[in-house]
Amino acid sequence: YPSNKLVAETYLKRGLIYIKLHNDEASRDAFLYVFENYPNSKAANEALISLKEVDLATFTRLAKETGYADISEEDVDAANFEESEAMYLSGNYTRASLLLGHYLNGFPNGRFRQNAHYYKADCHVRMDQQDSALLQFEYLLEQPGNPYYENSVYMASNLARSLDDDQKTYAYYQLLYQSTSNKEYQSEAL
């Protein structure tokens, strides 16, 4: 029965039902099953298109590999970051942190790397992973022209203080005082 085209259609419908139930993982698995087991079929094409709704990174990878669409490296970069950012903005910080880590590993010089480091740092703060958060903020302190610089110095100062790292606390508060125009931050740095 696996060669029966009704099986592919059933998996497609299953994937669409899972989308409505907000079960992206099960939906992705159903679409991938169709795509991998019924290649070059109408069902595989529909599965790939549907996959775009639940896993943009996998869609772009498969579309690029199969020649389904002309996708540039910039498009792949953006698609991977957008998926991570959506998880972050939805408040799923554990999943967002994981996806942002994948993005940063896959695109260490990606167009959205500063955003990704900042979001990842914030995820770690929210998950009470202070050491990991501090590492992300420290990365941002080393990046020239960083739109997150001032807030990163502020957060690094507070994290270093809460981790009882007196040397970093002093250095970051000094840097905060010198680099900020925010009166609240300046008074805290004193």
Side-chain angles (χ1 to χ4, degrees):
Y1 82 93
S3 61
N4 188 327
K5 70 177 186 170
L6 294 176
V7 173
E9 290 174 20
T10 301
Y11 271 89
L12 271 175
K13 288 178 183 176
R14 180 183 287 178
L16 295 171
I17 290 168
Y18 283 130
I19 287 176
K20 291 181 190 234
L21 295 173
H22 304 287
N23 188 339
D24 291 349
E25 188 175 335
S27 181
R28 182 188 64 239
D29 291 347
F31 295 140
L32 285 174
Y33 179 85
V34 174
F35 185 80
E36 292 167 355
N37 290 292
Y38 300 91
N40 304 318
S41 69
K42 181 180 176 190
N45 190 45
E46 289 176 26
L48 184 60
I49 292 167
S50 298
L51 186 61
K52 188 176 185 178
E53 290 184 47
V54 293
D55 188 346
L56 193 55
T58 302
F59 165 78
T60 41
R61 179 180 56 79
L62 291 174
K64 191 172 183 179
E65 286 173 6
T66 61
Y68 174 78
D70 185 21
I71 298 177
S72 69
E73 196 63 31
E74 291 81 22
D75 292 336
V76 175
D77 177 348
N80 278 276
F81 176 72
E82 287 168 9
E83 181 181 13
S84 305
E85 183 180 45
M87 280 295 143
Y88 171 76
L89 295 174
S90 74
N92 188 343
Y93 301 115
T94 302
R95 179 90 173 119
S97 178
L98 178 70
L99 291 174
L100 288 161
H102 290 318
Y103 171 79
L104 291 167
N105 288 334
F107 300 91
N109 298 315
R111 183 172 47 178
F112 304 101
R113 71 184 173 281
Q114 290 178 345
N115 304 63
H117 278 283
Y118 186 78
Y119 291 168
K120 189 162 175 50
D122 188 47
C123 288
H124 289 301
V125 167
R126 291 171 187 268
M127 296 185 301
D128 200 28
Q129 298 170 346
Q130 296 176 339
D131 289 322
S132 298
L134 184 57
L135 288 173
Q136 297 300 316
F137 286 123
E138 288 174 334
Y139 169 86
L140 290 164
L141 297 180
E142 298 171 3
Q143 302 305 306
N146 169 10
Y148 302 106
Y149 185 80
E150 190 171 320
N151 198 46
S152 295
V153 176
Y154 175 75
M155 292 301 295
S157 303
N158 287 319
L159 287 166
R161 184 180 64 202
S162 70
L163 292 169
D164 295 324
D165 188 329
D166 294 336
Q167 188 175 5
K168 283 186 178 181
T169 300
Y170 177 76
Y172 291 144
Y173 274 128
Q174 192 173 32
L175 184 60
L176 180 64
Y177 184 77
Q178 294 168 355
S179 65
T180 188
S181 59
N182 183 315
K183 298 296 181 195
E184 206 174 297
Y185 286 0
Q186 283 180 336
S187 68
E188 189 169 329
L190 292 175

